[in-house]
Each structure stands twice: as structure tokens, then as C-alpha cells.
Amino acid sequence: MEPFRAAIADTVALDLLTPGQVRPEHLVAAEAGIRLTDPGRRLVLAALERRLAAAVPARAAGETPLTWRGAMIRQARDLAAALRGHGQFSSFERA
């Protein structure tokens, strides 16, 4: 799902860090490093859900609008179909 990383995960991280939405109280030191607290996890998951529900910019006029979640589901289905020998797979490309 690498084609979606920048559009989803990186965008969410930057959106949360740039305006300072994630604050020190959302983090806690642990043996393996720094972890999110429960409120921090809720903040990140809410931002992730908003991003997944956002519309993907259309690549062509008349293209059926999709959310990022829908685009990921379509990508997975297309890959599964190609692996079963039903058509060719082409990776998602952002407009």
C-alpha cells in the first residue's frame, strides 16, 4: 500500500505536528521509545479517519469520485483479481 503512504500517513502526521495538535501530554516514555497516550491515540485515529474519508482528487474528467479508503479498497481488489489471472494490475497513481 506504499502508493498511499504520502497521501494518507505522511499527510496526517504533518497535519498533526505542524499546528502543534499533538502535545507533550499526548506522549509517554516507554521501554521501546515514545508512545502515544490514550488521548493521543484518539487524536491520531480521528485525524486518520478524516483523511480516509476525504475525496481523492479525480485523475480524469467524469471519473467516479472516491475516498482514500475507497481507493485503497479498489487497489486491493484490483491486485487480488490480477493475482487470480483476471486482468492486469496497475498501481494507484495520485493525480
Side-chain angles (χ1 to χ4, degrees):
M1 299 326 280
E2 179 61 21
F4 298 99
R5 182 190 47 78
I8 298 172
D10 293 357
T11 299
V12 167
L14 290 173
D15 286 350
L16 290 172
L17 294 174
T18 303
Q21 293 181 56
V22 174
R23 297 184 304 275
E25 60 266 22
H26 292 126
L27 306 168
V28 63
E31 283 183 32
I34 304 294
R35 295 180 184 242
L36 288 165
T37 62
D38 285 342
R41 275 191 291 278
R42 282 192 288 276
L43 180 75
V44 170
L45 288 174
L48 179 60
E49 285 296 327
R50 282 191 304 274
R51 184 63 181 164
L52 289 170
V56 174
R59 292 178 289 174
E63 187 177 60
T64 303
L66 279 178
T67 63
W68 285 107
R69 178 179 278 114
M72 291 175 71
I73 291 169
R74 179 184 286 175
Q75 175 90 27
R77 287 181 180 154
D78 289 350
L79 176 59
L83 291 172
R84 287 188 209 108
H86 304 291
Q88 272 196 302
F89 175 74
S90 84
S91 182
F92 176 84
E93 291 184 25
R94 190 172 173 183

XYZ file of all heavy atoms in Angstrom:
716
model
N 0.826 -1.192 0.000
C 0.000 0.000 0.000
C 0.871 1.257 0.000
O 0.409 2.338 0.303
C -0.932 -0.020 1.202
C -1.918 -1.201 1.260
S -2.593 -1.860 -0.243
C -3.863 -0.865 -0.776
N 2.105 1.102 -0.386
C 3.041 2.222 -0.448
C 2.520 3.411 -1.263
O 2.769 4.555 -0.876
C 4.390 1.745 -0.985
C 5.435 2.821 -1.106
C 5.818 3.503 0.201
O 5.592 2.928 1.280
O 6.356 4.612 0.133
N 1.777 3.204 -2.350
C 1.301 4.367 -3.106
C 0.432 5.320 -2.274
O 0.253 6.469 -2.636
C 0.477 3.758 -4.233
C 1.003 2.382 -4.395
C 1.429 1.945 -3.018
N -0.098 4.840 -1.169
C -0.984 5.660 -0.335
C -0.274 6.305 0.858
O -0.863 7.135 1.541
C -2.152 4.809 0.172
C -3.003 4.278 -0.941
C -2.838 2.994 -1.397
C -3.952 5.086 -1.543
C -3.616 2.508 -2.432
C -4.741 4.612 -2.576
C -4.571 3.321 -3.030
N 0.963 5.917 1.125
C 1.658 6.398 2.327
C 1.723 7.914 2.395
O 1.309 8.521 3.383
C 3.063 5.810 2.419
C 3.806 6.246 3.685
C 5.274 5.845 3.648
N 5.926 6.158 2.397
C 6.354 7.374 2.025
N 6.166 8.413 2.813
N 6.948 7.551 0.862
N 2.237 8.541 1.358
C 2.392 10.004 1.390
C 1.043 10.708 1.487
O 0.894 11.674 2.230
C 3.165 10.476 0.166
N 0.074 10.206 0.750
C -1.239 10.850 0.714
C -2.030 10.670 1.997
O -2.891 11.490 2.315
C -2.040 10.318 -0.464
N -1.739 9.615 2.735
C -2.523 9.354 3.943
C -1.663 9.520 5.199
O -1.835 10.474 5.957
C -3.177 7.958 3.885
C -4.142 7.907 2.698
C -3.913 7.656 5.187
C -4.705 6.554 2.404
N -0.747 8.604 5.435
C 0.015 8.611 6.688
C 0.873 9.855 6.855
O 0.849 10.507 7.906
C 0.877 7.358 6.785
N 1.631 10.211 5.820
C 2.513 11.385 5.934
C 1.701 12.666 6.086
O 2.056 13.548 6.871
C 3.421 11.495 4.714
C 4.427 10.363 4.617
O 4.467 9.503 5.527
O 5.178 10.327 3.626
N 0.601 12.765 5.344
C -0.243 13.956 5.437
C -0.847 14.096 6.827
O -0.864 15.188 7.398
C -1.351 13.919 4.366
O -0.730 13.887 3.082
C -2.270 15.110 4.459
N -1.327 12.988 7.389
C -1.893 13.026 8.744
C -0.821 13.439 9.748
O -1.054 14.301 10.599
C -2.519 11.666 9.126
C -2.826 11.596 10.617
C -3.783 11.421 8.311
N 0.358 12.851 9.655
C 1.436 13.187 10.591
C 1.790 14.668 10.508
O 1.897 15.352 11.539
C 2.669 12.327 10.308
N 1.953 15.176 9.317
C 2.294 16.594 9.160
C 1.165 17.499 9.630
O 1.407 18.531 10.264
C 2.659 16.900 7.714
C 3.983 16.304 7.254
C 4.168 16.519 5.761
C 5.148 16.885 8.031
N -0.076 17.132 9.332
C -1.217 17.928 9.780
C -1.280 17.997 11.301
O -1.657 19.028 11.865
C -2.534 17.361 9.251
C -2.748 17.627 7.768
O -1.982 18.415 7.182
O -3.684 17.032 7.196
N -0.928 16.910 11.971
C -0.982 16.891 13.433
C 0.217 17.581 14.078
O 0.085 18.204 15.125
C -1.071 15.449 13.943
C -2.393 14.744 13.681
C -2.276 13.274 14.048
C -3.530 15.405 14.443
N 1.373 17.472 13.461
C 2.585 18.041 14.064
C 2.774 19.520 13.748
O 3.233 20.281 14.594
C 3.810 17.252 13.610
C 3.859 15.815 14.101
C 5.032 15.078 13.479
C 3.917 15.753 15.613
N 2.430 19.933 12.552
C 2.673 21.316 12.159
C 1.941 22.317 13.039
O 2.559 23.221 13.577
C 2.351 21.524 10.667
O 3.141 20.612 9.916
C 2.655 22.929 10.225
N 0.632 22.195 13.241
C -0.042 23.175 14.092
C 0.077 22.867 15.589
O -0.533 23.539 16.403
C -1.491 23.113 13.630
C -1.665 21.745 13.093
C -0.320 21.339 12.532
N 0.838 21.831 15.924
C 1.026 21.501 17.338
C -0.165 20.836 17.988
O -0.388 20.975 19.186
N -0.945 20.090 17.217
C -2.094 19.391 17.797
C -1.652 18.279 18.741
O -2.288 18.048 19.762
C -2.987 18.833 16.693
C -3.669 19.916 15.875
C -4.556 19.310 14.827
O -5.449 18.516 15.145
N -4.323 19.637 13.576
N -0.577 17.573 18.370
C -0.018 16.562 19.275
C 0.905 17.307 20.227
O 1.858 17.949 19.814
C 0.756 15.467 18.498
C 1.439 14.516 19.461
C -0.176 14.705 17.580
N 0.571 17.233 21.505
C 1.328 17.963 22.527
C 2.059 16.977 23.428
O 1.793 15.769 23.396
C 0.359 18.834 23.324
C -0.326 19.893 22.465
C -1.212 20.822 23.284
N -2.232 20.140 24.068
C -3.433 19.770 23.607
N -3.758 20.003 22.354
N -4.300 19.165 24.388
N 2.983 17.463 24.235
C 3.751 16.563 25.118
C 2.878 15.656 25.985
O 3.235 14.502 26.233
C 4.573 17.524 25.971
C 4.756 18.723 25.102
C 3.464 18.844 24.327
N 1.720 16.127 26.390
C 0.850 15.287 27.227
C 0.216 14.132 26.453
O -0.382 13.236 27.044
C -0.238 16.114 27.927
C -1.161 16.854 27.007
C -0.731 18.300 26.734
O 0.448 18.638 26.887
O -1.612 19.074 26.362
N 0.363 14.133 25.136
C -0.126 13.024 24.319
C 0.921 11.923 24.166
O 0.662 10.922 23.500
C -0.528 13.521 22.919
C -1.729 14.399 22.933
N -1.723 15.648 22.370
C -2.974 14.222 23.447
C -2.907 16.192 22.529
N -3.681 15.348 23.185
N 2.084 12.117 24.760
C 3.193 11.171 24.621
C 3.680 10.714 25.986
O 3.613 11.453 26.964
C 4.344 11.842 23.864
C 3.980 12.450 22.511
C 5.103 13.329 22.010
C 3.648 11.364 21.509
N 4.203 9.498 26.019
C 4.757 8.952 27.252
C 5.987 8.114 26.901
O 6.003 7.422 25.883
C 3.707 8.116 28.034
C 3.245 6.909 27.240
C 4.215 7.728 29.396
N 7.019 8.207 27.748
C 8.230 7.401 27.532
C 7.938 5.957 27.931
O 7.273 5.690 28.926
C 9.376 7.961 28.358
N 8.453 5.031 27.128
C 8.295 3.604 27.401
C 9.625 2.921 27.118
O 10.547 3.534 26.597
C 7.181 3.029 26.524
N 9.735 1.635 27.464
C 10.971 0.891 27.246
C 11.421 0.945 25.783
O 12.590 1.076 25.491
C 10.788 -0.568 27.655
C 10.822 -0.781 29.151
C 10.703 -2.255 29.476
O 11.177 -3.098 28.687
O 10.133 -2.555 30.541
N 10.460 0.833 24.871
C 10.788 0.767 23.451
C 10.836 2.147 22.784
O 10.962 2.235 21.583
C 9.769 -0.112 22.727
N 10.698 3.200 23.556
C 10.748 4.552 22.985
C 9.611 5.405 23.492
O 9.226 5.321 24.650
N 9.049 6.202 22.625
C 7.944 7.092 22.965
C 6.653 6.507 22.409
O 6.604 6.056 21.266
C 8.180 8.501 22.359
C 9.512 9.063 22.806
C 7.029 9.437 22.684
C 9.607 9.357 24.283
N 5.602 6.545 23.226
C 4.299 6.033 22.806
C 3.237 7.093 22.999
O 3.386 7.989 23.809
C 3.916 4.803 23.625
C 4.839 3.645 23.392
C 4.408 2.455 24.215
N 5.377 1.414 24.037
C 5.095 0.241 23.517
N 3.877 -0.038 23.148
N 6.032 -0.655 23.373
N 2.160 6.929 22.244
C 1.015 7.815 22.404
C 0.198 7.388 23.614
O 0.034 6.194 23.880
C 0.109 7.754 21.170
C 0.625 8.409 19.900
C -0.195 7.956 18.701
C 0.598 9.916 20.031
N -0.335 8.359 24.339
C -1.277 8.072 25.417
C -2.628 7.761 24.781
O -2.816 7.931 23.573
C -1.411 9.290 26.346
O -1.926 10.384 25.569
C -0.087 9.674 26.987
N -3.601 7.351 25.576
C -4.936 7.089 25.036
C -5.516 8.328 24.350
O -6.012 8.220 23.225
C -5.883 6.569 26.116
C -5.596 5.123 26.487
O -4.926 4.415 25.702
O -6.038 4.694 27.577
N -5.457 9.521 24.966
C -5.956 10.705 24.254
C -5.159 10.986 22.973
O -5.728 11.427 21.969
C -5.790 11.846 25.262
C -5.773 11.176 26.592
C -5.118 9.840 26.356
N -3.860 10.728 22.993
C -3.039 10.908 21.797
C -3.450 9.961 20.694
O -3.535 10.347 19.517
N -3.721 8.709 21.046
C -4.178 7.729 20.044
C -5.526 8.141 19.455
O -5.748 8.038 18.253
C -4.275 6.329 20.660
C -2.956 5.592 20.656
C -3.139 4.131 21.027
N -3.522 3.942 22.417
C -2.670 3.937 23.430
N -1.392 4.121 23.222
N -3.093 3.747 24.661
N -6.426 8.622 20.309
C -7.736 9.066 19.808
C -7.577 10.227 18.827
O -8.245 10.279 17.797
C -8.657 9.454 20.966
C -9.255 8.252 21.674
C -10.366 8.645 22.618
N -9.878 9.317 23.808
C -9.423 8.716 24.910
N -9.398 7.394 24.954
N -9.004 9.402 25.922
N -6.673 11.143 19.147
C -6.403 12.288 18.279
C -5.884 11.828 16.918
O -6.366 12.262 15.869
C -5.382 13.208 18.950
C -4.979 14.456 18.195
C -6.093 15.487 18.256
C -3.717 15.033 18.805
N -4.916 10.924 16.923
C -4.324 10.426 15.682
C -5.341 9.611 14.881
O -5.469 9.783 13.663
C -3.051 9.600 15.965
C -2.561 8.888 14.719
C -1.960 10.497 16.536
N -6.077 8.745 15.547
C -7.072 7.927 14.834
C -8.188 8.781 14.241
O -8.653 8.512 13.128
C -7.643 6.852 15.750
C -6.674 5.714 16.068
C -7.267 4.774 17.106
C -6.294 4.959 14.818
N -8.617 9.827 14.957
C -9.648 10.718 14.416
C -9.129 11.425 13.163
O -9.843 11.551 12.161
C -10.080 11.737 15.468
N -7.874 11.879 13.203
C -7.275 12.542 12.032
C -7.138 11.557 10.874
O -7.392 11.905 9.714
C -5.918 13.133 12.398
N -6.744 10.318 11.176
C -6.618 9.296 10.141
C -7.976 8.990 9.511
O -8.101 8.897 8.288
C -5.996 8.026 10.722
C -5.814 6.866 9.762
C -4.911 7.245 8.598
C -5.241 5.662 10.503
N -9.009 8.852 10.326
C -10.353 8.582 9.808
C -10.841 9.731 8.923
O -11.460 9.493 7.887
C -11.348 8.328 10.946
C -11.189 6.974 11.589
C -11.492 5.824 10.628
O -12.357 5.964 9.734
O -10.860 4.773 10.765
N -10.553 10.975 9.317
C -10.937 12.119 8.482
C -10.243 12.056 7.125
O -10.849 12.293 6.084
C -10.605 13.447 9.175
C -11.571 13.856 10.252
C -11.345 15.283 10.716
N -9.998 15.554 11.188
C -9.568 15.342 12.424
N -10.388 14.848 13.344
N -8.320 15.620 12.762
N -8.956 11.710 7.149
C -8.201 11.643 5.893
C -8.717 10.514 5.004
O -8.853 10.673 3.790
C -6.709 11.450 6.186
C -5.845 11.470 4.956
C -5.911 12.803 4.259
N -5.076 12.795 3.059
C -5.159 13.672 2.103
N -6.013 14.666 2.184
N -4.370 13.595 1.059
N -9.009 9.353 5.580
C -9.519 8.225 4.801
C -10.882 8.526 4.187
O -11.224 7.989 3.135
C -9.593 6.966 5.663
C -8.249 6.352 6.038
C -8.441 5.260 7.076
C -7.526 5.826 4.818
N -11.649 9.401 4.829
C -12.972 9.767 4.325
C -12.918 10.917 3.320
O -13.921 11.214 2.662
C -13.885 10.143 5.488
N -11.761 11.550 3.169
C -11.623 12.671 2.240
C -11.620 12.187 0.796
O -11.222 11.060 0.497
C -10.326 13.439 2.534
N -12.043 13.055 -0.095
C -12.103 12.706 -1.514
C -10.709 12.699 -2.133
O -9.879 13.553 -1.834
C -12.984 13.699 -2.254
N -10.482 11.727 -2.994
C -9.258 11.648 -3.783
C -9.448 12.581 -4.979
O -10.497 12.543 -5.623
C -9.031 10.209 -4.300
C -7.839 10.138 -5.235
C -8.878 9.245 -3.136
N -8.457 13.409 -5.291
C -8.589 14.253 -6.487
C -8.793 13.384 -7.731
O -8.086 12.396 -7.927
C -7.245 14.992 -6.560
C -6.674 14.901 -5.182
C -7.195 13.622 -4.594
N -9.773 13.752 -8.551
C -10.066 12.981 -9.773
C -8.889 13.064 -10.734
O -8.267 14.102 -10.882
C -11.327 13.507 -10.429
N -8.587 11.935 -11.352
C -7.495 11.891 -12.336
C -7.980 12.204 -13.731
O -7.206 12.574 -14.588
C -6.809 10.530 -12.290
C -6.051 10.313 -10.989
C -5.433 8.959 -10.972
N -6.517 7.977 -10.813
C -6.346 6.683 -10.872
N -5.172 6.182 -11.107
N -7.341 5.858 -10.696
N -9.277 12.020 -13.961
C -9.815 12.262 -15.298
C -11.238 12.823 -15.168
O -11.951 12.501 -14.219
C -9.846 10.961 -16.090
N -11.619 13.653 -16.106
C -12.976 14.195 -16.104
C -13.982 13.055 -16.168
O -13.797 12.092 -16.910
C -13.155 15.134 -17.287
N -15.004 13.151 -15.373
C -16.041 12.129 -15.371
C -15.721 10.908 -14.535
O -16.528 9.992 -14.451
N -14.546 10.875 -13.913
C -14.176 9.735 -13.076
C -15.064 9.694 -11.834
O -15.371 10.730 -11.258
C -12.706 9.866 -12.670
C -12.169 8.649 -11.943
C -10.692 8.802 -11.625
O -10.342 9.747 -10.909
O -9.914 7.971 -12.108
N -15.465 8.509 -11.431
C -16.289 8.349 -10.241
C -15.503 8.800 -9.018
O -14.377 8.336 -8.806
C -16.705 6.872 -10.066
O -17.383 6.457 -11.239
C -17.596 6.687 -8.863
N -16.074 9.708 -8.227
C -15.353 10.173 -7.038
C -15.123 9.025 -6.050
O -15.976 8.150 -5.891
C -16.282 11.218 -6.434
C -17.341 11.484 -7.428
C -17.370 10.338 -8.376
N -13.975 9.049 -5.406
C -13.611 8.038 -4.418
C -13.068 8.730 -3.177
O -12.497 9.805 -3.266
C -12.470 7.163 -4.941
C -12.743 6.031 -5.877
C -11.433 5.359 -6.278
C -13.660 5.005 -5.246
N -13.206 8.064 -2.044
C -12.485 8.489 -0.850
C -11.139 7.770 -0.864
O -10.938 6.831 -1.642
C -13.242 8.104 0.425
O -13.332 6.666 0.473
C -14.628 8.729 0.476
N -10.230 8.198 0.008
C -8.945 7.487 0.099
C -9.182 6.041 0.532
O -8.533 5.127 0.037
C -7.990 8.197 1.053
C -7.431 9.437 0.439
C -7.751 10.733 0.743
C -6.469 9.504 -0.610
N -7.051 11.592 -0.058
C -6.255 10.869 -0.897
C -5.780 8.561 -1.343
C -5.363 11.294 -1.876
C -4.890 8.984 -2.319
C -4.688 10.335 -2.575
N -10.138 5.817 1.439
C -10.451 4.449 1.858
C -10.948 3.646 0.660
O -10.523 2.510 0.440
C -11.497 4.460 2.972
C -11.910 3.056 3.415
C -12.925 3.083 4.540
N -12.220 3.265 5.808
C -12.312 4.336 6.592
N -13.089 5.341 6.264
N -11.645 4.406 7.709
N -11.826 4.226 -0.122
C -12.341 3.550 -1.313
C -11.243 3.243 -2.314
O -11.247 2.181 -2.957
N -10.301 4.172 -2.471
C -9.183 3.947 -3.398
C -8.323 2.777 -2.931
O -7.863 1.969 -3.745
C -8.339 5.214 -3.525
N -8.104 2.670 -1.618
C -7.317 1.552 -1.088
C -8.041 0.228 -1.294
O -7.428 -0.784 -1.662
C -7.006 1.779 0.398
C -6.040 2.927 0.619
S -5.792 3.281 2.368
C -4.851 1.852 2.871
N -9.340 0.230 -1.071
C -10.134 -0.988 -1.275
C -10.098 -1.393 -2.751
O -9.903 -2.566 -3.082
C -11.573 -0.794 -0.765
C -11.571 -0.693 0.761
C -12.488 -1.917 -1.253
C -12.886 -0.238 1.356
N -10.263 -0.413 -3.637
C -10.209 -0.711 -5.074
C -8.849 -1.295 -5.451
O -8.761 -2.253 -6.213
C -10.490 0.541 -5.896
C -10.419 0.252 -7.400
C -10.604 1.482 -8.233
N -12.007 1.867 -8.210
C -12.467 2.970 -8.786
N -11.649 3.799 -9.409
N -13.745 3.256 -8.752
N -7.792 -0.707 -4.912
C -6.429 -1.187 -5.194
C -6.284 -2.650 -4.751
O -5.743 -3.475 -5.488
C -5.419 -0.320 -4.457
C -3.990 -0.785 -4.569
C -3.276 -0.196 -5.752
O -3.619 0.872 -6.199
N -2.287 -0.884 -6.244
N -6.765 -2.970 -3.556
C -6.659 -4.335 -3.046
C -7.452 -5.313 -3.918
O -6.978 -6.410 -4.225
C -7.134 -4.393 -1.599
N -8.646 -4.903 -4.330
C -9.473 -5.767 -5.185
C -8.833 -5.972 -6.556
O -8.842 -7.079 -7.095
C -10.868 -5.185 -5.337
C -11.690 -5.327 -4.086
C -13.076 -4.763 -4.273
N -13.837 -4.920 -3.036
C -14.845 -4.156 -2.685
N -15.246 -3.168 -3.474
N -15.464 -4.370 -1.544
N -8.283 -4.887 -7.108
C -7.614 -4.999 -8.412
C -6.405 -5.929 -8.336
O -6.163 -6.726 -9.236
C -7.179 -3.625 -8.916
C -8.342 -2.744 -9.343
O -9.489 -3.242 -9.427
O -8.097 -1.538 -9.577
N -5.647 -5.833 -7.259
C -4.486 -6.705 -7.077
C -4.933 -8.159 -6.933
O -4.360 -9.054 -7.560
C -3.664 -6.273 -5.861
C -2.471 -7.159 -5.510
C -1.486 -7.241 -6.674
C -1.780 -6.636 -4.253
N -5.964 -8.384 -6.131
C -6.470 -9.752 -5.959
C -6.933 -10.336 -7.290
O -6.643 -11.498 -7.596
C -7.609 -9.762 -4.932
N -7.635 -9.542 -8.073
C -8.113 -10.017 -9.379
C -6.940 -10.354 -10.293
O -6.939 -11.396 -10.968
C -9.007 -8.962 -10.030
N -5.925 -9.503 -10.304
C -4.749 -9.760 -11.147
C -4.024 -11.017 -10.699
O -3.565 -11.805 -11.533
C -3.805 -8.562 -11.113
N -3.930 -11.237 -9.392
C -3.262 -12.439 -8.884
C -4.026 -13.704 -9.247
O -3.436 -14.769 -9.399
C -3.075 -12.347 -7.366
C -2.064 -11.306 -6.903
C -2.106 -11.162 -5.387
C -0.662 -11.652 -7.372
N -5.345 -13.570 -9.420
C -6.156 -14.716 -9.836
C -6.160 -14.892 -11.351
O -6.814 -15.783 -11.873
C -7.592 -14.528 -9.351
C -7.766 -14.716 -7.884
C -9.264 -14.693 -7.537
N -9.438 -14.211 -6.201
C -9.931 -13.025 -5.847
N -10.364 -12.189 -6.764
N -10.022 -12.675 -4.597
N -5.455 -14.004 -12.059
C -5.371 -14.099 -13.512
C -6.491 -13.399 -14.244
O -6.735 -13.666 -15.421
N -7.192 -12.500 -13.560
C -8.305 -11.764 -14.175
C -7.900 -10.319 -14.441
O -8.263 -9.408 -13.717
C -9.544 -11.792 -13.272
C -9.989 -13.162 -12.906
N -10.527 -14.039 -13.822
C -9.957 -13.824 -11.729
C -10.822 -15.172 -13.221
N -10.480 -15.066 -11.951
N -7.158 -10.095 -15.470
C -6.761 -8.739 -15.822
C -5.366 -8.380 -15.326
O -4.721 -9.168 -14.643
N -4.953 -7.192 -15.727
C -3.639 -6.703 -15.323
C -3.786 -5.727 -14.169
O -4.777 -5.001 -14.089
C -2.939 -6.019 -16.490
C -2.146 -6.962 -17.334
C -1.184 -6.185 -18.203
O -1.601 -5.348 -18.967
N 0.088 -6.488 -18.069
N -2.779 -5.706 -13.337
C -2.775 -4.792 -12.198
C -1.956 -3.563 -12.529
O -0.871 -3.660 -13.070
C -2.159 -5.496 -10.970
C -2.013 -4.584 -9.789
C -3.109 -4.208 -9.051
C -0.764 -4.107 -9.431
C -2.979 -3.361 -7.967
C -0.613 -3.270 -8.340
C -1.721 -2.900 -7.601
N -2.494 -2.403 -12.197
C -1.697 -1.186 -12.280
C -1.860 -0.436 -10.962
O -2.976 -0.281 -10.452
C -2.097 -0.326 -13.473
O -3.177 0.488 -13.192
N -0.745 -0.024 -10.419
C -0.724 0.623 -9.119
C -1.441 1.970 -9.154
O -1.454 2.654 -10.180
C 0.718 0.821 -8.677
O 0.756 1.398 -7.400
N -2.011 2.340 -8.038
C -2.686 3.632 -7.903
C -1.694 4.760 -8.134
O -0.574 4.713 -7.653
C -3.272 3.756 -6.486
C -3.892 5.088 -6.216
C -5.191 5.338 -6.596
C -3.172 6.093 -5.584
C -5.775 6.568 -6.348
C -3.742 7.318 -5.330
C -5.042 7.560 -5.712
N -2.119 5.748 -8.870
C -1.315 6.942 -9.079
C -2.145 8.152 -8.734
O -3.270 8.286 -9.227
C -0.834 7.025 -10.530
C 0.192 5.969 -10.870
C 0.724 6.132 -12.286
O 0.685 7.250 -12.811
O 1.145 5.109 -12.827
N -1.594 8.986 -7.907
C -2.287 10.197 -7.481
C -2.259 11.232 -8.606
O -1.293 11.361 -9.324
C -1.584 10.752 -6.251
C -2.319 11.853 -5.583
C -1.629 12.178 -4.303
N -2.237 13.358 -3.723
C -1.816 13.914 -2.625
N -0.789 13.415 -1.989
N -2.402 14.975 -2.146
N -3.365 11.958 -8.726
C -3.462 12.997 -9.758
C -2.469 14.110 -9.505
O -2.004 14.354 -8.453
C -4.864 13.571 -9.793
